[in-house]
Amino acid sequence: MRILLVGDIVGKPGRQIVVRSMRGLRAQEQLDFVVVNAENAAGGSGITPEIYYQLIEAGVDAITLGDHCFRRREIFSILQSQRRIVRPANYPATAPGHDVTVLHTHDQTPVAVLTLLGRVFMPPVDSPFTAADRILAQLPPEVRIILVDFHAEATSDMQLMGRHLDGRVSAVLGTHTHVPTADECILPGGTAFQCDVGMTGPHESILGRRIDRVLQVARTFRPAHFEVATDDVRLNGTIVDIDPATGLATAIRRLRVDQAAADRLADRQ
């Protein structure tokens, strides 16, 4: 079983490279299941119903969100009605959307997907450790493949979650910082781990935003709109191989697709 998590999609450039490369990428890498974090897909903050359907139609299996998931109120109906998208599981139970989803691969293998928010340097939120334990206790025993998107700021927070869930889930992969880390590994209990899989969007930027606008605010404190940048668009993510019998990881590696590679992948479709 081979699963890909694509890191934070930022704005239209990020969406376009995902849509352009996805089907070719699935074939080239022999992917069984693809998850994308799309909480910044709409103009750099939030997601809309149109973007949700665009990503699903492109070949994405599941969508995770983070601290910007409710920036666009029009997504509420999708969060409530669709099973291919999840909001953070440590949000209150009254929040719109599902805290976990179980979907099936082409051979009907069940895969659970959930996302959690960290608490260090992040908005106040319930304990992600308690939420993770609650979700795992609810999953039926036949669901062995479990992917956790840990949307967090501090690497210590991310490492703690990896250790907390080691041996109990297939992978704990981080998002949110928009910077890929070089610490991918398989923990002693068999869980694949990486602090952050990186950003999908324009890298000639400050975390996906125009450099000049961010510099202006940093240097002068004058308010400015942080527009999404446009150049050096890349798709970043991480691929995990999993033993379906145990649900534990057997391999993990980083993935980077630049615009030229995306064009070649598009030609394969």
Side-chain angles (χ1 to χ4, degrees):
M1 176 69 63
R2 179 167 288 177
I3 291 180
L4 166 66
L5 173 64
V6 175
D8 301 60
I9 297 173
V10 178
K12 186 175 181 179
R15 302 196 310 265
Q16 287 179 329
I17 196 169
V18 169
V19 170
R20 184 160 179 76
S21 62
M22 184 50 60
R23 297 199 184 280
L25 188 59
R26 291 193 72 130
Q28 174 180 286
E29 299 291 345
Q30 298 182 312
L31 299 171
D32 297 291
F33 200 84
V34 176
V35 182
V36 303
N37 184 293
E39 69 141 6
N40 295 308
S45 187
I47 182 173
T48 65
E50 293 77 14
I51 293 171
Y52 167 83
Y53 286 115
Q54 180 186 43
L55 294 173
I56 296 300
E57 290 171 5
V60 169
D61 294 296
I63 295 171
T64 56
L65 302 173
D67 54 308
H68 299 312
C69 65
F70 296 152
R71 287 295 180 94
R72 312 278 176 149
R73 294 181 61 86
E74 58 267 38
I75 198 61
F76 287 6
S77 62
I78 295 293
L79 290 172
Q80 293 290 87
S81 64
Q82 301 298 313
R83 298 298 309 188
R84 293 186 178 274
I85 186 169
V86 290
R87 48 86 169 160
N90 51 330
Y91 273 4
T94 52
H98 305 288
D99 55 7
V100 64
T101 189
V102 177
L103 303 170
H104 293 80
T105 63
H106 58 88
D107 65 356
Q108 295 305 302
T109 301
V111 178
V113 178
L114 65 143
T115 183
L116 299 161
L117 288 188
R119 292 190 294 182
V120 179
F121 309 128
M122 296 285 280
V125 71
D126 292 343
S127 168
F129 304 99
T130 301
D133 292 344
R134 171 177 53 82
I135 295 294
L136 294 185
Q138 294 173 353
L139 291 174
E142 63 268 21
V143 179
R144 299 184 181 91
I145 299 176
I146 306 168
L147 173 66
V148 178
D149 174 352
F150 192 39
H151 202 73
E153 185 76 32
T155 50
S156 58
D157 216 12
M158 299 169 183
Q159 290 178 354
L160 280 168
M161 183 58 70
R163 296 294 179 168
H164 179 66
L165 294 178
D166 185 24
R168 298 196 287 158
V169 303
S170 306
V172 176
L173 303 176
T175 57
H176 179 68
T177 73
H178 292 204
V179 178
T181 55
D183 61 340
E184 70 276 11
C185 65
I186 297 178
L187 297 173
T191 293
F193 174 80
Q194 185 181 357
C195 276
D196 201 299
V197 305
M199 176 187 81
T200 296
H203 282 66
E204 181 63 22
S205 67
I206 304 297
L207 304 182
R209 306 303 183 119
R210 280 178 47 175
I211 297 170
D212 58 336
R213 295 299 179 89
V214 180
L215 271 176
Q216 174 186 329
V217 173
R219 294 177 63 242
T220 70
F221 277 19
R222 294 178 181 176
H225 177 57
F226 288 174
E227 296 176 8
V228 174
T230 57
D231 296 335
D232 189 14
V233 181
R234 307 177 209 162
L235 181 154
N236 279 307
T238 294
I239 293 174
V240 179
D241 290 343
I242 301 165
D243 181 350
T246 64
L248 299 178
T250 58
I252 179 173
R253 61 184 170 92
R254 283 174 279 162
L255 174 72
R256 171 181 156 178
V257 178
D258 60 19
Q259 194 63 64
D263 292 340
R264 291 193 294 270
L265 288 167
D267 291 339
R268 295 187 53 158
Q269 298 181 24

